[in-house]
Every structure is written in C-alpha cells, then in structure tokens.
Amino acid sequence: MSIKGIFPIDQWDFESESILADLPSGDLELLMARKSEQLYKKGEIIFREGAFPAGIFYIVNGKAKKYKVDGEGREQIIYVANTGELLGYHAILSGDNYPDSAAVLEESLITFIPREDFLDAIKQSDVLNRRLLKTLSHEFAVLANSLTMFAQRSVRERLALQLIVIREKYKVDFEPGQPVEINMGRDDLASLVGTARENVVRMLSEFKEEGVVTTKGRKIIVLDVKKLIKIANYR
Amino acid sequence: MSIKGIFPIDQWDFESESILADLPSGDLELLMARKSEQLYKKGEIIFREGAFPAGIFYIVNGKAKKYKVDGEGREQIIYVANTGELLGYHAILSGDNYPDSAAVLEESLITFIPREDFLDAIKQSDVLNRRLLKTLSHEFAVLANSLTMFAQRSVRERLALQLIVIREKYKVDFEPGQPVEINMGRDDLASLVGTARENVVRMLSEFKEEGVVTTKGRKIIVLDVKKLIKIANYR
DNA sequence: TAAAAAAAGTGAGTTATATCAATTTTTATA
DNA sequence: TATAAAAATTGATATAACTCACTTTTTTTA
C-alpha cells in the first residue's frame, strides 16, 4: 500500500528518478573512469560546508544527511539522501564552495568522482545535462515546499510529515509488507524537524499513546500512515 | 556603503548575476523572437501554482513575489524577484506544473517568452545551458540557507535579516546615498518572515524605539544596518 | 477634498515550544 | 555478561509568538 496518490510524496522528495540511472553507457564510463570507492562508518563526514568541492559522491549503498550548522552549533538537516543518489554536485555547478555538509547516517559505500571528470561528462553528455537541469529545478520545488512547511506548520505537524517522508526512505531496506523500522537518532530527527530533541521525544510519546507509531528500542515503526497525514494537516 | 563583505548577501540572494545578461546576441534573439510585453498593475498575478507552464517571464522593470498558499489560505513568500530577473523557468525545466505562484509587488513591465522558444534556446545555446545550471544550483544554496533560517531563528532575527535583504532590492530605485525606502505592505513582509502581521508590526515598533529603522507612511527606512545585522545574529 | 475602504498599529490573554535538570533505558565496550 | 558510556525520556518552568478584538492612520475613490 503505497502512499503515492493520496499523499504526493514527489513534492517532498527529490528522487522521483535518479540522475545516473540509465545514463548512456559511454557517458557513464566517462564519469566513472577515475572513480574511487570508500566504505564510511556510521556518522563519518563526507564533506564539510565551506570546503573546496574536489568532486561529487555517489551513494552505492547507504544513507547520508545534508546539513548546515549555525553559529551556535545547532544542526539543521536539509535533506536525507538514499542509495543511488548523488551528493555535492551543486557546489561544482555553482562555482561556490560546498554550501552544506554531508555525513553518513549508517554504514555506507560511496563512490567519489573527481571534479574534472564530472565537468567533462557534462560537456560531453546532453543527456546528463538535461537530467541535471531537470533534477535541480525539481529539487528547488521540493525545497520551497519544505521552506513553507517550516515557516507555517507547527512542530507537531512537521514531525508527522517528516515521519511519512523518512519512512519512505527506510522502506527500501525492508521486504514489501514487512513493518518499516525507522532507525534514526532522536537528535537527527529533531534537526530534521527543526526543534529540540526533547520536543521530538515528547511528541513521539503522544503519537504512541494515540496509536500512530510504536517503538522497538530506538527504532520507530509507523502504525497508521493515514492518521499521520491527518496530523500533518496536509491538504 | 555596500554591505557586501561584512554581510555576504550573495548567500541570501539569487541574483549575483542575471541569466540573460550578456547572452550571445544570437541566443538572445532566438529567445526573444516571439516575446510579448505586458504592463502589470500592482498586485496582479503572473501565474498560479498548479497551472501548466506556458512560458517564462522576464521582468523588464518592477518587482514580483514568488509564493505558495497553504490549505488555510496563508501565503508564504519564497522569493522577491527584481528588475532583470526571470520567472517560471523551474517548472518548464522540471516538467511539472508551476510549483508556486507569482504576483507583481508594484506596477511592472514583464516580457512573456513562450515555452517552446525557451526550450529551443536551451537546445541551441551552451551558454544559456551553463548559465541555467549555475543559477539553479546557486538558487538551491540560497533556499537551503533560508530554510535553516526558518527552522532555527526567532521571528525577531528573521525580520531583521529580511529587512537587510529586502532593502538591497529596493536600493536600485534610489540614488546612491539617498535613504532607501522599503515600500512593502505589512502582510507581504509578514509572509516573507513567516509570521502574523501583528508580530511584524510590533517588532517594527521595537526597532523604531531602538533607533534601527524609521517609517514614512507605510514605507520603512533602515537607519542602522550594522545593528540589524547584530539583531539578526548572523555570524 | 471628503468619505469610504484598506491597511497599519495596539493591547491582552492564551498556547506552543524552548530550556534546564534529572532519571531511565539502550547500546557499546571490556 | 557486567560495566561504562551514550542516548532517550520525563517533568517543571519560562517565554516567544499566536490569536482575537479593537482603534488609529493611511490610501484610495467618488
């Protein structure tokens, strides 16, 4: 029972299709000519805000967060990237340094593609070019959506919404029909929702009392997606 | 006395350079071949969220807001576009309908460019292509910045920050050295800051007492940018 | 220029959320 | 498996921001 349709998740998630999926083999070879693979341990940082973008990263397997840290050290998660997604290309295209940091949420296998190879591939490949324009403009719409949510929704509504969205990302790790376990630390969940850890925990207990979610250790299992949609107050 | 440097406004504003500025004349001709111009009266809507994107819009002269309206009819301004900027191209590139609405903030002269001409121009022009990739990825960084602000900053800090950013946009309408008058309705200012009109008004009075701003009718004049930066608590 | 309409501004009461301090549970490590 | 460390949870209190009701000022229009 997918929630697409009743809840247009495309509006909340960048990855309606991957940038590299089904790329003409020549273009892909060019891109991957000098790649290097690395296994990141949980919590390891992929790149840091402000650093020179030496290349882009492809998540072969795992999950990563894109985030910003403000003056007081508070972390704000912009996006959670999943297996198959690309990281770090915005900076190379814009000509700025990395505008945000990225770190791995669980043990992840990640491919590094040098800056020059990425730029060459863009020059060569019309498909990649179109794909990037399409992805970037879609990402913009998704982010504008998030912005509106942060500006107008209550913490309770935001938590409900993020649980729906994040559940979809953990779904791929479970057999269809099996309960999806969201294995995310409360601090990360809080910085995704834009509030303090304590508030997330308190509202999770409320959701538990209301029969919307349950927990298994630190893992969160959504019992009633429709109720969550109602709480999120999404038209 | 520009605030660039002490306050890196590029991080808060898309338009470090225009997409169409200095475009090779051939490319520009192609783009403008079948344009049509129209004078919009204050408040008029340029396009509506959810509509099919029939083309893109170029602001020859004036200002426009990009905004979203939520279920309860509350408006959230995503961005304020100025003379020389392009509107509505995200939807055409992403293949979705318009993800947001646009309306004119003051009487504005706007050029309409049909969808097909824009798509043809992209096919033909490498410069336009690169320009779009660069702009889109920069825009993404700016929006991520705004997102963080909404998630973490107080209304007071957000208002201070937006006054700085918005002042830069009204600056072009005044002689250098002359006081810049921000001529924006309180409702628009509120939906830019993400709060209710009453809160904006209250905090503007506070700012007035503190000698940071003054008003002239409904117009707002910033007296002390540095103090605003301090209030915005921007590192 | 007067009247009407729209926008801006003020005040008081209420609520959601942040913050601080402590305890309990879970996970990692020896 | 016991112990230490880390993470999650609960409670109490403070406060920023929202909402509603109303007044005053500014702008529009007749």
Side-chain angles (χ1 to χ4, degrees), chain B residues 7-78:
Chain B
F7 182 81
I9 198 153
D10 285 11
Q11 241 182 311
W12 293 101
D13 190 11
F14 300 157
E15 278 302 296
S16 26
E17 64 215 76
S18 167
I19 294 176
L20 300 189
D22 308 313
L23 206 65
S25 60
D27 298 348
L28 202 61
E29 268 172 40
L30 190 63
L31 200 61
M32 295 297 189
R34 287 181 291 176
K35 65 163 183 182
S36 60
E37 268 187 1
Q38 197 188 325
L39 189 65
Y40 287 76
K41 275 174 290 183
K42 184 174 175 173
E44 270 193 281
I45 289 173
I46 306 169
F47 54 79
R48 272 211 170 75
E49 180 174 354
F52 175 81
I56 64 170
F57 299 84
Y58 176 71
I59 307 177
V60 179
N61 203 286
K63 286 180 185 54
K65 60 179 174 184
K66 287 181 66 176
Y67 63 98
K68 290 193 134 228
V69 183
D70 76 357
E72 285 96 56
R74 292 213 305 167
E75 205 178 287
Q76 176 62 40
I77 296 182
I78 311 292

Side-chain angles (χ1 to χ4, degrees), chain A residues 2 20 26 34 49 54 75 78 83 95-96 100 105 124 135 138 143 147 149 156 166 176 184 186 196-197 204:
Chain A
S2 165
L20 300 189
R34 286 180 292 177
E49 181 174 354
E75 205 179 286
I78 311 294
T83 299
D96 305 318
D100 44 35
L105 284 172
Q124 300 288 318
T135 302
H138 181 65
L143 208 58
L147 185 106
M149 178 190 67
R156 187 180 155 89
I166 209 78
M184 185 178 246
R186 300 299 178 265
R197 185 184 58 245
L204 276 177

Side-chain angles (χ1 to χ4, degrees), chain A residues 113-174:
Chain A
I113 296 162
R115 178 194 185 82
E116 293 309 323
D117 295 3
F118 179 57
L119 288 170
D120 286 350
I122 294 172
K123 274 203 198 91
Q124 300 288 318
S125 170
D126 283 349
V127 179
L128 182 57
N129 232 287
R130 278 198 301 276
R131 217 45 98 64
L132 281 170
L133 278 179
K134 186 169 182 177
T135 302
L136 277 167
S137 47
H138 181 65
E139 283 180 6
F140 187 87
V142 173
L143 208 58
N145 230 23
S146 294
L147 185 106
T148 304
M149 178 190 67
F150 276 111
Q152 302 190 328
R153 303 298 192 178
S154 68
V155 170
R156 187 180 155 89
E157 289 171 318
R158 267 142 56 196
L159 177 59
L161 195 50
Q162 290 292 9
L163 282 176
I164 298 166
V165 173
I166 209 78
R167 194 184 94 101
E168 290 296 311
K169 313 219 172 193
Y170 281 90
K171 212 175 199 170
V172 296
D173 301 335
F174 296 88

Side-chain angles (χ1 to χ4, degrees), chain A residues 64-222:
Chain A
K65 61 179 174 184
K66 288 181 67 176
Y67 63 99
K68 289 193 134 230
V69 184
D70 77 357
E72 285 97 57
R74 291 213 307 168
E75 205 179 286
Q76 176 62 41
I77 296 182
I78 311 294
Y79 183 66
V80 173
N82 216 340
T83 299
E85 295 190 46
L86 228 42
L87 288 173
Y89 55 96
H90 297 88
I92 290 181
L93 292 173
S94 73
D96 305 318
N97 287 350
Y98 287 125
D100 44 35
S101 305
V104 140
L105 284 172
E106 58 191 36
E107 192 177 77
S108 302
L109 186 62
I110 293 178
T111 294
F112 172 78
I113 296 162
R115 178 194 185 82
E116 293 309 323
D117 295 3
F118 179 57
L119 288 170
D120 286 350
I122 294 172
K123 274 203 198 91
Q124 300 288 318
S125 170
D126 283 349
V127 179
L128 182 57
N129 232 287
R130 278 198 301 276
R131 217 45 98 64
L132 281 170
L133 278 179
K134 186 169 182 177
T135 302
L136 277 167
S137 47
H138 181 65
E139 283 180 6
F140 187 87
V142 173
L143 208 58
N145 230 23
S146 294
L147 185 106
T148 304
M149 178 190 67
F150 276 111
Q152 302 190 328
R153 303 298 192 178
S154 68
V155 170
R156 187 180 155 89
E157 289 171 318
R158 267 142 56 196
L159 177 59
L161 195 50
Q162 290 292 9
L163 282 176
I164 298 166
V165 173
I166 209 78
R167 194 184 94 101
E168 290 296 311
K169 313 219 172 193
Y170 281 90
K171 212 175 199 170
V172 296
D173 301 335
F174 296 88
E175 298 297 320
Q178 288 308 106
V180 179
E181 297 176 356
I182 300 170
N183 186 12
M184 185 178 246
R186 300 299 178 265
D187 279 307
D188 279 334
L189 199 48
S191 97
L192 193 62
V193 171
T195 187
R197 185 184 58 245
E198 295 95 315
N199 297 319
V200 165
V201 166
R202 239 185 291 276
M203 285 177 192
L204 276 177
S205 324
E206 283 176 35
F207 287 173
K208 262 168 99 169
E209 278 170 29
E210 297 165 35
V212 181
V213 305
T214 187
T215 52
K216 198 170 147 188
R218 60 123 59 144
K219 291 160 191 156
I220 300 162
I221 296 159
V222 175

